Amino acid sequence: MISDERLLQMLRDADALNALEHGRTPAPAVRRTRLIPFAIAAAVLIAGAGLALFGSRDRSSPGSPVEIAAVAPRPESPDPAAAPTSSLLLAVYQNGAGKLSCVNWSTDVLKGRAITSLSANELTRLGLTLACDPEAARILVVGLEGPAGSLPSSDARAQAVAQCLSTTPPCAEGVFNPRTCAAAGCLDTEVKVRIESLALR
Amino acid sequence: MKRRLTELTADPHAGEDLSQRTWLAVWEAVRDGRYDPQRAAMTTYVYAVSQNVFRNWARSRATSASHAPAIAAERATGAAPRVDPIEEAEVIDELRRALRDGAPGLTAGQLQALQLLSLGLTDRELARALAVAPSTAHARKREALDALRDHIERRFFTERPASVRKEQAEQP
């Protein structure tokens, strides 16, 4: 009989090989009954956040209608002037239709590590710690690195980047990482970006 | 592979050395007909061989405190002293398929938990990702691993599924 530890190790091996060869594929869709209360709560959040953000957006999604999503409340918002950041992590949650449902971000979870030093799984795990929408169908974990002024430093900018990432189609097949390639249009040119995608439903 | 071996050994020179040993072992296996492409993909086979090479290396350094965790983990897995890489690769290939496409007997919820566990999430992280209580996450992990084990054992071993054994064990 295979022990739990052995099974988990082989699962991690299997995932590493899948990520290496094919990237991740969506899990089968599943609907849960508690979706309805969350949908109502999300609608309220969306409406509230929309009213709050509509006037304060400092960057809109290129070529797409303004869409509004919730930004997860965070206990403290880093002050870019007081503490310039060189990297941050965006957790972009999307619903089943691929629309942005919620954004959370942090400069702390990377603990100063370069995004290139993280494995794909590490990046995804860190993104999952930035909880936001329990009913989301997919999470895009976006690692950003660059001059402090070029990185999102407010909820509104994080929201705008997330919105852009959610609405920009991936680059054509054949590009090494179509999502990362597509993200270039959403960010300043000096920003390095890494994106991992994981189906949650 | 070299990067992974370097991470495992925490030594670039050892990583390089084990990488070369892995390719040599793969070449010999192909030459001697021990690798069967019908049983496992080459990528998975190379990976399994590299695991074996690392285990052997770790055992040979069992006295080194820095590698004690690797040895302990190896012992905890209950793996045979020598694992045939082709058998290991077969199982890993089946797990790769299960993670991508699901498997008979696995519910969508169990598959979701397995996909998250395959990222190396702890119980606490799993609870956060599933937006459930830690105890619920732990229960889901248990169910998912049992279902997966049943599937693997049905597929590769003649033993009866763990759940059946459990039921039989519980009978007076």
Side-chain angles (χ1 to χ4, degrees):
Chain A
M1 182 174 161
I2 308 170
S3 69
D4 282 357
E5 291 77 11
R6 182 95 189 109
L7 200 51
L8 282 167
Q9 181 56 53
M10 285 196 291
L11 260 182
R12 287 192 284 269
D13 293 342
D15 178 73
L17 283 163
N18 279 349
L20 185 71
E21 277 198 349
H22 305 293
R24 303 187 194 293
T25 52
V30 56
R31 289 196 70 79
R32 298 192 291 190
T33 50
R34 61 193 181 86
L35 183 67
I36 293 167
F38 273 105
I40 294 167
V44 172
L45 268 176
I46 287 168
L51 286 171
L53 290 171
F54 192 73
S56 63
R57 286 167 68 104
D58 55 1
R59 184 173 173 180
S60 59
S61 308
S64 66
V66 174
E67 292 183 59
I68 299 158
V71 179
R74 290 172 301 106
E76 57 187 34
S77 195
D79 177 1
T85 57
S86 58
S87 62
L88 70 80
L89 202 62
L90 268 179
V92 180
Y93 289 79
Q94 297 176 333
N95 63 20
K99 302 277 185 194
L100 176 62
S101 67
C102 186
V103 188
N104 200 347
W105 63 288
S106 170
T107 54
D108 302 329
V109 292
L110 290 173
K111 294 187 170 69
R113 294 176 67 186
I115 56 169
T116 47
S117 73
L118 299 166
S119 70
N121 282 358
E122 277 181 295
L123 194 65
T124 309
R125 284 180 67 181
L126 289 174
L128 286 168
T129 64
L130 299 176
C132 194
D133 177 4
E135 292 300 321
R138 177 169 289 277
I139 178 175
L140 295 181
V141 183
V142 186
L144 300 174
E145 201 172 290
S150 63
L151 300 178
S153 54
S154 65
D155 285 348
R157 275 198 73 189
Q159 163 84 16
V161 170
Q163 182 67 57
C164 179
L165 291 171
S166 295
T167 52
T168 306
C171 292
E173 298 239 348
V175 174
F176 180 66
N177 189 330
R179 278 190 195 278
T180 303
C181 160
C186 300
L187 298 158
D188 290 347
T189 50
E190 62 266 45
V191 175
K192 287 185 200 165
V193 59
R194 270 190 70 192
I195 300 183
E196 296 298 331
S197 169
L198 177 70
L200 297 172
R201 298 284 175 265
Chain B
M1 181 183 66
K2 193 168 90 176
R3 190 175 59 192
R4 179 180 159 75
L5 287 168
T6 301
E7 283 170 4
L8 285 171
T9 57
D11 178 350
H13 298 297
E16 173 79 39
D17 182 36
L18 297 191
S19 174
Q20 290 183 15
R21 281 194 227 173
T22 298
W23 287 118
L24 183 63
V26 169
W27 180 77
E28 286 173 347
V30 172
R31 184 195 62 191
D32 300 342
R34 279 179 280 123
Y35 168 66
D36 179 358
Q38 302 296 318
R39 292 179 67 184
M42 177 52 92
T43 318
T44 315
Y45 183 69
V46 171
Y47 192 91
V49 170
S50 76
Q51 294 284 93
N52 247 13
V53 166
F54 169 70
R55 282 187 208 115
N56 291 339
W57 176 86
R59 283 191 195 107
S60 72
R61 297 170 63 94
T63 52
S64 166
S66 63
H67 297 105
I71 304 297
E74 183 56 32
R75 285 183 183 147
T77 61
R82 280 193 172 274
V83 182
D84 184 350
I86 192 69
E87 286 177 9
E88 186 168 24
E90 265 187 308
V91 175
I92 294 175
D93 256 356
E94 185 60 26
L95 294 177
R96 292 177 64 182
R97 276 189 288 273
L99 284 175
R100 278 200 311 261
D101 311 323
L106 276 184
T107 66
Q110 287 166 346
L111 179 58
Q112 182 196 7
L114 291 173
Q115 286 171 332
L116 292 168
L117 288 168
S118 73
L119 297 172
L121 265 63
T122 62
D123 284 10
R124 202 170 156 191
E125 290 167 335
L126 183 67
R128 201 177 291 164
L130 294 173
V132 296
S135 57
T136 309
H138 185 75
R140 287 200 194 170
K141 174 183 167 182
R142 274 260 53 78
E143 284 172 15
L145 287 177
D146 283 345
L148 183 66
R149 187 180 293 108
D150 280 358
H151 169 68
I152 292 296
E153 291 186 349
R154 268 197 303 269
R155 174 85 174 72
F156 293 104
F157 306 110
T158 52
E159 296 174 42
R160 274 169 290 181
S163 58
V164 175
R165 288 199 304 275
K166 201 188 301 174
E167 282 168 17
Q168 287 179 341
E170 284 167 4
Q171 285 173 1

